[in-house]
Structures are given as C-alpha cells and as structure tokens.
Amino acid sequence: MKERVLVFDTTLRDGEQSPGASLNVQEKVEIARQLEKLGVDIIEAGFPASSPLQLEAVQRISRESSKVVAALARAVEKDITAAWKALQEAAKPRIHTFIGTSDIHISGKFSSDRYGRTLQEKRSTVLRMAVDAVAFAKTFTGDIEFSAEDAGRTDPGYLREIIEAVIAAGATTVNIPDTTGYTWPAEFGRKIADLKSHVPNISDAVISVHCHNDLGLAVANSLSALDFGARQVECSMNGIGERAGNASLEEIVMALKVRSDLHNFETGIVTEEIYNTSRMVSTFTGIIIQPNKAIVGDNAFSHESGIHQDGMLKSRETYEVMTPQSVGVPQTSIVLGRHSGKHGLQSRLLALGYSLEESELEALYRRFVEIADKKKEVYDDDLRGLMGDELKRPGSTFELDYLHINSGTASIPTATIRIKHRDQLYEESATGDGPVDACFRAIERALEIESMVTSYSVRSTTAGRQALGEALVRIRDRGVSFNGRGVSTDIIEASAKAYLQALGLRLNHFESNTTETIDNGV
Ligand code: KIV
Ligand code: ZN
C-alpha cells in the first residue's frame, strides 16, 4: 500500500509574490481550474487581507473548486476574518495562519516593547498569538493550517513547544517552512524527525513543509522531509515564488514518480497535465521558463550531441529517465489557420487547458482571425501568447489605439502613439535611439510619466519568419514590479502593448491595494 503525499500548490499565493508576477482575478481562476485538472490536493488561492482583488480571487476560486481551498492570514483576527469571508463558499475551506518563530523574525518583527522586553517575553507573546489565531480560525472551520514562519532557523525547543500548542488549539496541519532557503537536506530532515519524536500530539496533525530555493535546495529539502515524516509538500508550478522561488511542483512530483523504487509514496498528480499547467502559469505571470529547467524547460527532452542523438535513436532509455509524454509535452503540433472556425479554436484552447467564457472566446477569436490572416499557420505557442496578451486586461487598461513608426538606416527613429484610457485619448510623438525606444518615450510623454522600465525582451513564440513576436516589459514603481506582455506579428506593436499592459497593472495595483503594514506582516 502506497502512502499518499498531499500536494499543496501555492502558485497563486507565494508564486504570485514573485517579482512582477501579478495575476488578475480571471487569470487566477483559469490557473485554479487547471490545477484542479492537474490533481493537486490543496490550492492556496491567495492572501485575502492584502487587497480586495486577492479577496475576490479567493472567493471566485472557492465557489467553483472541488479541492481544498486555502487562504493565508497573519496571526491576527482581522486577517483571519478576511480569509474566512473569502473562503466561506468553498466546499473544503482551509484557513492558513502563520507567524514568524525564529529569533531573527521575533526580534525583527516584534521589536516594540508591547510584545515583551526580553526575547523570552517576546517568544511567549508569539506563542500566545499563534494559539489565539488557531483557536479563532477554528471558530469558522475545522481545517486549520498553522505555519511557523522561518522554522528552518527557529530554535528546535521553541519550535516543538509552539507546534504542540497549536495542535492542542486545533491546528490540523502544521507547516514547517524553510522560509529563507537556508537549511541543508539532512538537517531539514532531522528537524522533521525531531518534531515527530518529541511533540507528544504530533500524530493529530499532518506535517507539511514549505521550502524556498535560495540555495537551490528547495526540492532536495522537501524530499528529505518526506523521508522523515512530512506528508504534505508545499510547492509551486515552475518553482515560482518569493526571491529564488519555492520548491517546484513538477520536480517533486516527477522525482517521486521516477524514483518510486526508493520509497513508498504516491501523489494524486495527473503528470500528463504538467506541461500545460507550466505553460499557462508562465504565460499569465510573464515569468519565462529557463530552457534548461528540469521537466518543463524547452531543452528538458532535447538531445544535442551526436553521441546522445545516436543513443536516443537506438533506445530512449540511454539518455532519458522519463518520457516527454509522461509530463504532457506534445509530440505533434496541431496547427490552426484562417479557415479554422471559432469551435476549432475553442477545442484547441480547451486541449491547452483554457476554458474561456463566451465573451472572452469572442475577443480571442477576433485576435486569432487577425493573426491567421497575417501568418497563415497558428501554433499552440502562438495561442498561449495570445492568451497572455488578451486575458491580462487590468482593470485600468491603457489601450493602444494607434501607432506609427518611422525608422530606417538613414532616419531618426520616430514614434507617434495614441492611447485610450478611460474614454480619453492621449497622443504624443517622440524620437529615440531605435524604434522601440522612440515608442516607449512617446508612451511616457503621452501619459506624463518617467520611465520605469527595468527589463525588456522580445522573442518569437514559435520558429520561422512568420512567428508572432512576444514582448515582455517589466517596470518597477515604489518597490513593486509589474510584468507586461504583448503579442503581435509586429514587434514594435507587441512592445508598446507590453509596456501599456505593465502600466495598467501598476495603476490597478496602486488603486486597489490597501495593505497596511503591521508588526507581524509577511
Ligand atoms: O515562506 C514562508 O514561510 C511562507 C509562509 C507564509 C508559509 O510563505
Ligand atoms: Zn513562502
């Protein structure tokens, strides 16, 4: 009999905390639907107290998901109440509350004397806050997860004490995060073993782990924790998350699957859905997957050297420990063209994991027809690119109404742009070092803003001269980054759209984000 490891997906919460990765409500709902198909056990849908949009996204996901839906809350009543407000229509709601437990976190976050004057006093306050938070959350629902933030660097004796106390207060899952990605696999495994053997009521809760990847050890630490008693892993698609990210879902799942000879674990993941999920997350977050990324990178199954190619032709097993099919990498590419109708488009999108509402499908179809007219063959990656561009409509949209570029070897690049925003038109011209620079300057002039671009790249969505150009623009304002993506057969137009999308996300964020900083904040 195999032992089930619960997969807790935090793509929509910790993953969304990746620089620039803000997702709108509709994108979150789409990703949650795909996570459901992927077979994760728990979807952490967001942090409702942090903004009205987060709350709305958790609410929408709660309404339709059959999985456990978790919402994050600091160990304060206001956050827990917001989490419950967002979760109450969920079939299986989980409140996930947390507080920093390492001395570094305690003395940094709870420096005010009102938490106690000595470290010892502050530790007692934190323990009391944790217990009170769990008990308060328990008044709403039975499924409560408690996280001892920075458990990786928390004093072992204090960690045991707090874990025992929160279980006694009603926590049903106790999460041991390596928040800073500091621990070593054997050390982290011992931490779990220590809790297993020294916390008297530990069998009343599931032990979970949540590992960050600052030293590239997140997956190794998570697997080590499983060996020593953890039965829930928190992870994200493509490993996205704060800083260097979280443990990557696809790596943990495939390591467990491929090396099932070494252990007795199984997950409920439908591994053939990994590729589609990975691409959807990349498209919507604007975070590109590095080509050599394990499992889902473009090169994960390509063999370059002659020796390897020869070996592969004779027998795949010589150089592959799993097949591309097992993770859903498509073997043949299906091409749509200008004669493909709306139903053809819809069924291709469904196969890629996108289930659009009628109005969204209508809008996408119009874009599809425009593209198909220009480039004849429309590939899956073109459709993914279009989805990233079309669905990412920030509430405060800046629409590209008109763009004219003058450029050549003997002329000064000049751009004229007209932008529509909240029923007003903004028009300006500018020159620049090149056509993209001129276009960005014209946007900045028209909207009367300083340049905020921190990175810009352009690539083709598929091979060949007729490929769509996909531009990615990252901007940064007041310490927050926003990723914009634009797709077009014309790369200057794609670039302008990407910049405008990022600017729309920025405006949306600062108009709707009401998070106030409190002492025990994330
Ligand atoms: O990294 C961390 O500690 C977290 C917690 C909120 C679980 O993300
Ligand atoms: Zn985290």
Side-chain angles (χ1 to χ4, degrees):
M1 237 330 237
K2 294 266 185 199
E3 263 197 87
R4 178 69 175 258
V5 169
L6 299 172
V7 176
F8 176 114
D9 180 275
T10 188
T11 309
L12 297 175
R13 201 277 298 167
D14 214 321
E16 207 211 2
Q17 290 172 219
S18 307
S22 53
L23 295 163
N24 65 30
V25 174
Q26 192 52 34
E27 289 167 329
K28 285 190 161 196
V29 170
E30 281 289 330
I31 292 177
R33 287 179 186 151
Q34 180 59 27
L35 290 173
E36 181 122 11
K37 271 200 224 159
L38 180 67
V40 306
D41 298 284
I42 300 111
I43 298 174
E44 186 165 46
F47 184 4
S50 69
S51 80
L53 284 180
Q54 287 266 341
L55 192 136
E56 187 191 335
V58 178
Q59 256 168 350
R60 294 261 316 266
I61 293 167
S62 294
R63 272 179 211 134
E64 59 177 72
S65 183
S66 69
K67 302 288 177 185
V68 175
V69 178
L72 189 69
R74 290 166 290 198
V76 288
E77 291 199 356
K78 161 182 165 290
D79 278 29
I80 294 169
T81 308
W84 179 245
K85 186 171 174 204
L87 287 171
Q88 54 193 329
E89 291 179 62
K92 297 178 192 159
R94 172 179 295 184
I95 298 177
H96 176 193
T97 185
F98 74 99
I99 196 162
T101 55
S102 66
D103 290 346
I104 300 175
H105 275 231
I106 291 176
S107 40
K109 291 176 173 178
F110 305 104
S111 55
S112 154
D113 275 358
R114 72 189 153 105
Y115 297 107
R117 282 192 317 279
T118 63
L119 181 62
Q120 213 44 45
E121 284 173 1
K122 288 181 197 295
R123 277 191 181 182
S124 306
T125 309
V126 166
L127 192 141
R128 204 184 53 246
M129 287 171 76
V131 167
D132 288 351
V134 170
F136 182 62
K138 203 76 185 173
T139 62
F140 298 111
T141 180
D143 188 345
I144 308 298
E145 174 164 334
F146 170 77
S147 284
E149 196 191 13
D150 204 19
R153 295 186 299 173
T154 297
D155 170 73
Y158 181 59
L159 187 61
R160 288 179 202 157
E161 220 184 304
I162 203 162
I163 292 300
E164 182 179 348
V166 293
I167 295 175
T172 41
T173 299
V174 284
N175 186 32
I176 311 302
D178 182 22
T179 304
T180 53
Y182 175 72
T183 61
W184 185 260
E187 177 195 17
F188 194 59
R190 281 196 299 273
K191 203 171 253 298
I192 304 303
D194 181 79
L195 294 171
K196 259 269 333 139
S197 50
H198 290 106
V199 173
N201 54 2
I202 196 73
S203 55
D204 294 343
V206 173
I207 303 179
S208 168
V209 290
H210 173 112
C211 297
H212 278 271
N213 207 28
D214 300 66
L215 292 171
L217 294 173
V219 170
N221 284 338
S222 306
L223 296 177
S224 172
L226 291 179
D227 281 335
F228 288 94
R231 289 296 175 269
Q232 176 178 290
V233 278
E234 302 200 358
C235 45
S236 65
M237 206 64 222
N238 303 335
I240 62 170
E242 280 281 359
R243 306 180 311 281
N246 287 77
S248 124
L249 181 150
E250 63 278 13
E251 291 176 25
I252 292 182
V253 167
M254 291 314 287
L256 288 175
K257 187 167 176 173
V258 171
R259 296 312 310 272
S260 60
D261 55 318
L262 294 179
H263 55 75
N264 200 29
F265 300 132
E266 66 177 5
T267 69
I269 296 295
V270 181
T271 61
E272 292 77 9
E273 289 293 336
I274 284 178
Y275 184 82
N276 271 350
T277 317
S278 162
R279 296 291 140 156
M280 181 185 287
V281 168
S282 170
T283 301
F284 287 156
T285 56
I287 300 176
I288 288 175
I289 302 163
Q290 76 196 58
N292 59 326
K293 166 81 183 61
I295 322 289
V296 291
D298 280 346
N299 297 350
F301 296 96
S302 51
H303 302 269
E304 196 70 21
S305 82
I307 295 177
H308 284 216
Q309 286 176 352
D310 183 56
M312 284 294 293
L313 289 173
K314 288 177 177 143
S315 157
R316 287 197 84 94
E317 280 177 13
T318 44
Y319 289 107
E320 266 181 16
V321 296
M322 66 198 134
T323 62
Q325 292 91 323
S326 67
V327 295
V329 175
Q331 296 307 288
T332 48
S333 77
I334 294 177
V335 182
L336 299 182
R338 82 175 68 149
H339 301 298
S340 313
K342 208 174 353 156
H343 286 300
L345 174 68
Q346 185 178 32
S347 74
R348 197 63 217 133
L349 287 171
L350 274 174
L352 300 181
Y354 300 98
S355 41
L356 298 187
E357 326 244 312
E358 193 50 41
S359 59
E360 291 161 350
L361 180 65
E362 197 57 57
L364 199 82
Y365 184 64
R366 279 197 295 274
R367 288 290 302 279
F368 166 78
V369 171
E370 259 172 51
I371 300 285
D373 262 345
K374 287 184 186 153
K375 77 186 270 317
K376 294 191 181 66
E377 294 181 323
V378 181
Y379 296 91
D380 288 349
D381 281 337
D382 294 328
L383 294 180
R384 290 192 174 98
L386 276 182
M387 284 297 304
D389 180 334
E390 196 54 38
L391 213 62
K392 206 172 197 61
R393 290 241 170 269
S396 321
T397 314
F398 294 102
E399 297 233 20
L400 179 63
D401 192 53
Y402 168 87
L403 175 65
H404 180 79
I405 300 287
N406 210 334
S407 181
T409 49
S411 61
I412 296 172
T414 311
T416 301
I417 198 157
R418 193 165 59 229
I419 300 160
K420 196 165 166 197
H421 175 59
R422 294 180 178 155
D423 295 329
Q424 294 238 34
L425 291 173
Y426 300 83
E427 187 167 345
E428 266 297 348
S429 298
T431 57
D433 293 341
V436 174
D437 187 42
C439 173
F440 283 11
R441 282 173 194 264
I443 290 176
E444 286 151 10
R445 259 197 200 164
L447 301 178
E448 295 179 18
I449 53 168
E450 297 288 312
S451 171
M452 296 171 210
V453 177
T454 54
S455 82
Y456 163 70
S457 63
V458 64
R459 61 172 194 164
S460 64
T461 50
T462 49
R465 281 169 53 178
Q466 289 189 325
L468 284 183
E470 178 181 57
L472 295 168
V473 171
R474 178 177 293 181
I475 61 172
R476 196 167 169 80
D477 185 16
R478 286 164 263 176
V480 190
S481 299
F482 306 90
N483 291 335
R485 181 187 290 247
V487 171
S488 168
T489 45
D490 174 341
I491 58 167
I492 314 294
E493 184 186 335
S495 306
K497 284 183 164 176
Y499 194 8
L500 291 176
Q501 190 181 79
L503 288 170
L505 291 167
R506 162 186 164 268
L507 190 61
N508 227 26
H509 176 86
F510 289 117
E511 280 183 345
S512 68
N513 210 314
T514 56
T515 314
E516 45 183 289
T517 313
I518 56 173
D519 278 354
N520 66 336
V522 191

